[in-house]
Amino acid sequence: MPLEEVERRLREAYDRDFHFEEGRVLGSMCSKPEDIAVKYHALFSEANLGNRGLYPGTAELEEEIIGDISELMHLKGGWGQFVGGGTEGNITAMWIARNLSEKKKILAPESAHFSMKKATDLLAMELVDIPLDNEYRMDVDALEREMDGDVAAVMAVAGSTELGQVDPIKEISEVAGDVFLHVDAAFGGMVLPFLEDLGRWSGDWDFRVNGVDSLSVDLHKMGMSTVPSGILLLKERGYVDSISVESPYLTTKRNIGLAGTRPSGAVAGAYAVVKSMGRKGYRDVVKRCMENTEYLVGKMQDIGFEPVIKPIMNVVAFKTDRAEKIRKEMDKMGWKISTVRRPKAIRMVVMPYVTRKVIDEFTEALDGLGYA
Amino acid sequence: MPLEEVERRLREAYDRDFHFEEGRVLGSMCSKPEDIAVKYHALFSEANLGNRGLYPGTAELEEEIIGDISELMHLKGGWGQFVGGGTEGNITAMWIARNLSEKKKILAPESAHFSMKKATDLLAMELVDIPLDNEYRMDVDALEREMDGDVAAVMAVAGSTELGQVDPIKEISEVAGDVFLHVDAAFGGMVLPFLEDLGRWSGDWDFRVNGVDSLSVDLHKMGMSTVPSGILLLKERGYVDSISVESPYLTTKRNIGLAGTRPSGAVAGAYAVVKSMGRKGYRDVVKRCMENTEYLVGKMQDIGFEPVIKPIMNVVAFKTDRAEKIRKEMDKMGWKISTVRRPKAIRMVVMPYVTRKVIDEFTEALDGLGYA
């Protein structure tokens, strides 16, 4: 096909996609990556840390960012690696837990991301849903009742997909004891440290809790970097031995983790954005997102919708029996929101590209439906 | 950190990495992506087909490329999706085979990529190595002896990592019967069709063999596109039901495959390069790589090294008892090659960036070691 025709078709496809800068996507946890992340991702597009020996420069960038994020999550020593995202992070953590324990049961809150179902099926494990308390956090008493000798792992959520809720991780850790404890902080990991800086929230959710063995966080969500820049952190370097395989014909003797080829342009992209934003940059972004979240809550209350919980982070859901109907009708008008299963609710994520102007237009359109 | 400092560090890291255009990497199966692939990957950097409803344009690009590659592999109907690479393709195929059959045994040739070990451990399956014949292809008689009622999948290789060898897939299919048959064509999938066009090779290796149920091929290897652009093709659309999970709060009801967030900039990158190169473009690249492979074989014979097999594709190994010693000494001089386990050999991949000038310099440096 002639080059002009190829490029014309690509431009047309691009125009058909939704774009964050248009602001009408209120149901996505991904953000528009910063320009500098896109630029360096592209420069490093051939980097493949799956064959690490060829990319000593990229490998150092990875180590430095893993160090920075470890510090942010209060992990000293330990081990980390870029992964494809929260799903791969959760799968890998459960894989390690299963291989270390030779047991099969996973205890996870009902609010866990659906990737836990995927991990369970893939790994031939067994998922036990732990009910939630009145605040939609994992019920620690219910967890305690399910603890037995067959448990390979307990997982907890720091920033649930549906409500942005944080499980009581310290109490969970006390119940879990020596059992492997994984924290899914895919979204919350790049929000909570800055909420703490801002004095807006406090709690124990990361490696400050001694029993936490692994934690996953995505830099392509609130980290504002390019896909795929998930990070998996492990308390002990030795854990990875349980899932590494021999890798002949590569520049390293053993290959660690799920992926073979690793798209490591994302490492350079993450380096560019994390280092240039700095802690203050992220704090400012989180501050603005939280102020806009509160603005959204006020506007929604004005038109008759109440939040399911007072939002901790920039994820907020509003109770309504007509959630699916509202989602569909808003979709027809070009607004993308999502729904929550229990309690029935519509859900929005106030990402950095969601401005007050967008919130005004959104709530006006929603009010026009007359479903409050 | 100030922006200039961030960018200076990234440039330094870039300089420390190996780069394909420098030509001294003779052991990598990845190629330098074409500029147009990098350009459109960057433009589509926010695309995430894990949340398909937001990206109808990218979704169409994916369908069109899956259609083109399906045609190249003689798959009519069926189903396909971009995946992270050959490893994810192999894992996903075995996951489907296990779930469809509820059995655990995988029969794979000794020449299979190490990702099969990873898949086996991850999926709690059992890997049975099938020995190779004199030409380092899967021994069909040995396969037949291992077939029993517990076999979930047979896998075969079209372009082995170490020797570029192609298993006798038609004969394997006859032995496998109704058992799920997966073909790993991660490297060979973008070489063999063009060797056939050029009249340089013929054989049954793809969906022309009726028993083939799945096939994986990487566009970031000989497809000259960006990482991660693996493709998994399935004979039947229905196979994916066995591995899909419910995905509330996304724009699609069910989520298929291993990854959650999918880095779909690679889809646009692949579209750009596949469409603009066209069949003729790839044929020309493969022709040049094969001519250079033959040139390398001639030069190596001149200095006293014999190939393990007459190369079918642009992967070639040369017998030597001092493979590891040679690899290390060449590494000190800045040459990156790899080694083969059995028979002991050094191995090179004559990717498009490997020129005759590079081959001359390489063989001269190797000759200087005096290890022939």
Side-chain angles (χ1 to χ4, degrees):
Chain A
M1 193 185 288
L3 192 56
E4 306 77 58
E5 171 72 5
V6 174
E7 297 202 74
R8 193 184 58 73
R9 288 187 183 203
L10 281 158
R11 292 277 168 189
E12 280 176 8
Y14 183 81
D15 290 340
R16 278 197 297 280
D17 283 354
F18 273 76
H19 299 287
F20 295 123
E21 63 269 30
E22 293 154 13
R24 294 197 149 209
V25 181
L26 277 84
S28 171
M29 288 186 140
C30 285
S31 59
K32 184 172 165 57
E34 293 288 295
D35 289 343
I36 194 170
V38 176
K39 175 180 170 184
Y40 283 97
H41 188 136
L43 180 66
F44 284 73
S45 59
E46 58 183 84
N48 165 20
L49 286 173
N51 199 5
R52 199 172 183 88
L54 297 183
Y55 304 100
T58 310
E60 278 178 43
L61 298 179
E62 182 179 44
E63 277 167 30
E64 195 172 335
I65 292 299
I66 293 294
D68 289 358
I69 302 299
S70 294
E71 200 183 320
L72 201 61
M73 312 286 148
H74 302 90
L75 173 62
K76 286 173 188 123
W79 180 89
Q81 184 166 290
F82 273 67
V83 295
T87 292
E88 191 183 319
N90 287 345
I91 291 171
T92 308
M94 293 305 106
W95 187 14
I96 291 170
R98 187 200 67 187
N99 283 8
L100 288 174
S101 69
E102 299 185 351
K103 293 171 183 173
K104 294 208 164 176
K105 208 184 277 185
I106 302 170
L107 308 186
E110 285 176 358
S111 53
H113 185 261
F114 67 81
S115 59
M116 290 303 295
K117 287 206 183 76
K118 207 182 269 193
T120 303
D121 183 54
L122 190 73
L123 294 159
M125 297 177 80
E126 181 198 339
L127 184 64
V128 179
D129 285 333
I130 306 297
L132 307 180
D133 64 17
N134 292 337
E135 291 290 303
Y136 305 97
R137 312 181 325 155
M138 191 200 278
D139 183 325
V140 180
D141 292 334
L143 174 68
E144 192 155 19
R145 286 193 294 274
E146 293 291 344
M147 288 297 298
D148 62 26
D150 299 326
V151 179
V154 173
M155 76 85 70
V157 184
S160 66
T161 313
E162 294 186 319
L163 301 174
Q165 184 54 286
V166 182
D167 286 327
I169 290 165
K170 191 158 189 289
E171 290 76 4
I172 289 168
S173 169
E174 281 158 12
V175 170
D178 289 337
V179 169
F180 194 96
L181 175 57
H182 173 64
V183 175
D184 180 349
F187 188 84
M190 289 303 280
V191 181
L192 293 173
F194 313 112
L195 289 178
E196 293 186 64
D197 284 356
L198 293 163
R200 281 178 165 263
W201 187 84
S202 71
D204 292 308
W205 64 277
D206 62 7
F207 289 100
R208 283 170 292 188
V209 177
N210 200 37
V212 171
D213 291 294
S214 63
L215 183 150
S216 54
V217 51
D218 282 353
L219 297 184
H220 54 248
K221 293 190 169 89
M222 284 295 285
M224 307 180 72
S225 196
T226 54
V227 173
S229 51
I231 285 179
L232 177 66
L233 299 177
L234 301 178
K235 188 179 178 181
E236 305 281 348
R237 169 72 178 81
Y239 291 172
V240 295
D241 295 340
S242 69
I243 58 156
S244 66
V245 297
E246 265 188 273
S247 51
Y249 47 72
L250 289 187
T251 49
T252 48
K253 293 264 178 251
R254 295 186 74 78
N255 185 268
I256 294 166
L258 213 150
T261 296
R262 288 170 56 200
S264 308
V267 171
Y271 189 96
V273 66
V274 167
K275 291 293 188 182
S276 60
M277 297 260 297
R279 191 155 185 145
K280 185 180 178 308
Y282 283 113
R283 198 156 55 214
D284 292 346
V285 167
V286 167
K287 183 167 182 286
R288 199 175 69 237
C289 289
M290 287 312 297
E291 287 167 357
N292 287 343
T293 302
E294 285 155 11
Y295 183 79
L296 171 65
V297 170
K299 280 279 180 177
M300 289 291 284
Q301 286 174 323
D302 288 348
I303 63 169
F305 288 90
E306 285 300 321
V308 175
I309 59 167
K310 184 177 184 301
I312 290 170
M313 50 189 76
N314 48 331
V315 180
V316 55
F318 297 91
K319 285 174 271 192
T320 168
D321 286 337
R322 302 190 225 184
E324 192 53 28
K325 195 171 173 62
I326 292 174
R327 191 193 65 71
K328 280 186 187 152
E329 297 207 16
M330 292 302 282
D331 187 77
K332 277 183 207 152
M333 291 189 277
W335 291 99
K336 297 284 182 184
I337 59 169
S338 54
T339 56
V340 172
R341 297 161 290 178
R342 211 169 57 205
K344 286 203 186 310
I346 51 175
R347 162 187 173 268
M348 291 129 225
V349 188
V350 187
M351 293 301 284
Y353 57 83
V354 177
T355 61
R356 292 196 180 199
K357 182 167 168 288
V358 166
I359 292 168
D360 289 342
E361 290 168 8
F362 171 77
T363 47
E364 195 183 320
L366 177 59
D367 193 30
L369 295 180
Y371 288 151
Chain B
M1 192 185 288
L3 191 57
E4 306 78 60
E5 171 73 5
V6 174
E7 297 203 73
R8 192 184 59 72
R9 287 188 183 202
L10 281 158
R11 291 278 169 190
E12 279 176 9
Y14 183 82
D15 290 340
R16 278 197 298 280
D17 283 354
F18 273 76
H19 299 288
F20 294 123
E21 64 269 30
E22 294 155 12
R24 294 196 150 211
V25 180
L26 277 84
S28 171
M29 288 187 141
C30 285
S31 59
K32 183 172 167 56
E34 293 288 294
D35 289 342
I36 194 170
V38 176
K39 176 180 170 185
Y40 282 96
H41 187 136
L43 180 66
F44 283 72
S45 59
E46 57 182 86
N48 166 20
L49 287 173
N51 200 4
R52 198 170 183 89
L54 296 183
Y55 304 100
T58 309
E60 277 177 44
L61 298 179
E62 182 179 44
E63 277 167 31
E64 195 172 335
I65 292 299
I66 293 294
D68 289 357
I69 303 299
S70 293
E71 199 184 321
L72 201 60
M73 313 287 147
H74 301 91
L75 172 62
K76 285 174 190 123
W79 181 89
Q81 185 167 287
F82 273 69
V83 294
T87 292
E88 192 183 319
N90 287 345
I91 291 171
T92 308
M94 292 305 108
W95 187 13
I96 292 170
R98 187 200 66 187
N99 284 8
L100 288 174
S101 68
E102 300 186 350
K103 294 173 182 172
K104 294 207 163 176
K105 208 185 274 186
I106 302 169
L107 309 186
E110 285 176 357
S111 53
H113 186 259
F114 67 81
S115 59
M116 291 303 296
K117 287 206 181 75
K118 208 182 267 194
T120 303
D121 183 55
L122 191 73
L123 294 159
M125 297 178 79
E126 183 200 338
L127 184 65
V128 179
D129 286 332
I130 306 297
L132 308 180
D133 64 18
N134 292 338
E135 290 291 303
Y136 303 98
R137 312 182 325 156
M138 192 200 276
D139 183 326
V140 180
D141 293 334
L143 174 68
E144 193 156 18
R145 286 193 294 274
E146 293 290 345
M147 288 298 297
D148 62 26
D150 299 326
V151 178
V154 173
M155 76 84 72
V157 184
S160 67
T161 312
E162 293 186 319
L163 301 174
Q165 184 56 284
V166 182
D167 286 327
I169 291 166
K170 192 157 188 288
E171 290 76 4
I172 289 168
S173 170
E174 282 158 13
V175 170
D178 289 336
V179 170
F180 194 96
L181 174 58
H182 173 63
V183 175
D184 180 349
F187 187 83
M190 289 302 281
V191 181
L192 293 174
F194 312 112
L195 288 179
E196 292 186 64
D197 284 356
L198 293 164
R200 281 178 165 264
W201 186 82
S202 71
D204 292 308
W205 63 278
D206 62 9
F207 289 99
R208 282 170 291 188
V209 178
N210 200 37
V212 171
D213 291 294
S214 63
L215 183 150
S216 54
V217 51
D218 282 353
L219 297 184
H220 54 247
K221 293 191 169 88
M222 283 296 284
M224 306 180 74
S225 196
T226 53
V227 174
S229 51
I231 284 178
L232 177 66
L233 299 176
L234 301 178
K235 188 179 179 182
E236 304 281 348
R237 169 72 179 82
Y239 290 172
V240 295
D241 294 340
S242 69
I243 58 156
S244 66
V245 297
E246 264 188 274
S247 52
Y249 46 74
L250 290 187
T251 48
T252 48
K253 292 267 179 245
R254 296 186 73 79
N255 185 268
I256 293 166
L258 213 150
T261 297
R262 288 170 57 200
S264 309
V267 171
Y271 189 95
V273 64
V274 167
K275 291 293 188 181
S276 62
M277 297 259 298
R279 192 155 184 144
K280 184 178 178 307
Y282 283 113
R283 196 158 56 214
D284 292 346
V285 167
V286 167
K287 182 167 183 283
R288 199 175 70 236
C289 289
M290 288 311 298
E291 286 167 357
N292 287 343
T293 302
E294 284 155 11
Y295 183 79
L296 172 65
V297 170
K299 281 279 180 175
M300 289 292 283
Q301 286 175 323
D302 289 347
I303 63 170
F305 288 91
E306 284 300 321
V308 174
I309 58 166
K310 184 173 183 302
I312 290 171
M313 49 189 78
N314 48 331
V315 180
V316 55
F318 297 91
K319 284 174 270 188
T320 167
D321 287 337
R322 301 189 228 186
E324 192 52 28
K325 196 173 174 62
I326 292 174
R327 190 193 65 72
K328 280 185 185 152
E329 296 206 17
M330 292 302 282
D331 187 77
K332 278 185 207 150
M333 290 188 277
W335 290 99
K336 298 282 181 183
I337 59 169
S338 54
T339 56
V340 172
R341 297 160 290 177
R342 209 168 60 206
K344 286 202 186 311
I346 51 174
R347 162 185 172 269
M348 290 129 227
V349 188
V350 186
M351 293 301 284
Y353 56 83
V354 177
T355 60
R356 292 194 180 200
K357 181 167 169 286
V358 166
I359 292 169
D360 288 342
E361 290 168 7
F362 171 78
T363 46
E364 195 182 319
L366 177 59
D367 193 30
L369 295 179
Y371 288 151

